[in-house]
Amino acid sequence: MKVAICTPRYGDTKGSYTISLARMLVHSLSQPLPEGIRGPLELEIFSISGSDLPRTRRELLKRAIAWQARYVLWTDVDHVFPPD
């Protein structure tokens, strides 16, 4: 199962976002896949820096599709979230 994590950004990421992302990756990779899902969990992070948010989102989606992602998780660099 391929999951693209897409993050548009303007400049650098926030420290608390980076820690949240790292914890989510560790948690996600340590969990069994839901029943009915086959294959390994494949995660890829796509990020583009720019001030034109619609353009960067389109480009990130193009990259995720080219990578043949089954799912896309959109994150913002100023958000924090639990590992699960």
Side-chain angles (χ1 to χ4, degrees):
M1 178 173 70
K2 291 178 120 178
V3 179
I5 301 169
C6 294
T7 306
R9 59 189 167 77
Y10 183 71
D12 294 332
T13 63
K14 303 288 185 186
S16 52
Y17 164 81
T18 305
I19 291 168
S20 291
L21 179 62
R23 288 178 176 154
M24 182 192 69
L25 293 173
V26 169
H27 176 80
S28 297
L29 291 170
S30 68
Q31 299 300 305
L33 290 176
E35 192 171 318
I37 303 292
R38 293 186 183 169
L41 175 60
E42 296 179 59
L43 300 171
E44 184 63 52
I45 300 171
F46 297 93
S47 185
I48 297 175
S49 182
S51 60
D52 185 352
L53 187 58
R55 183 191 61 75
T56 56
R57 286 190 187 277
R58 280 192 306 273
E59 182 58 35
L60 288 168
L61 185 57
K62 286 179 187 177
R63 292 179 185 188
I65 290 169
W67 184 63
Q68 298 180 337
R70 172 102 175 145
Y71 300 96
V72 175
L73 173 64
W74 292 98
T75 61
D76 290 317
V77 297
D78 60 347
H79 291 172
V80 295
F81 41 87
D84 60 348

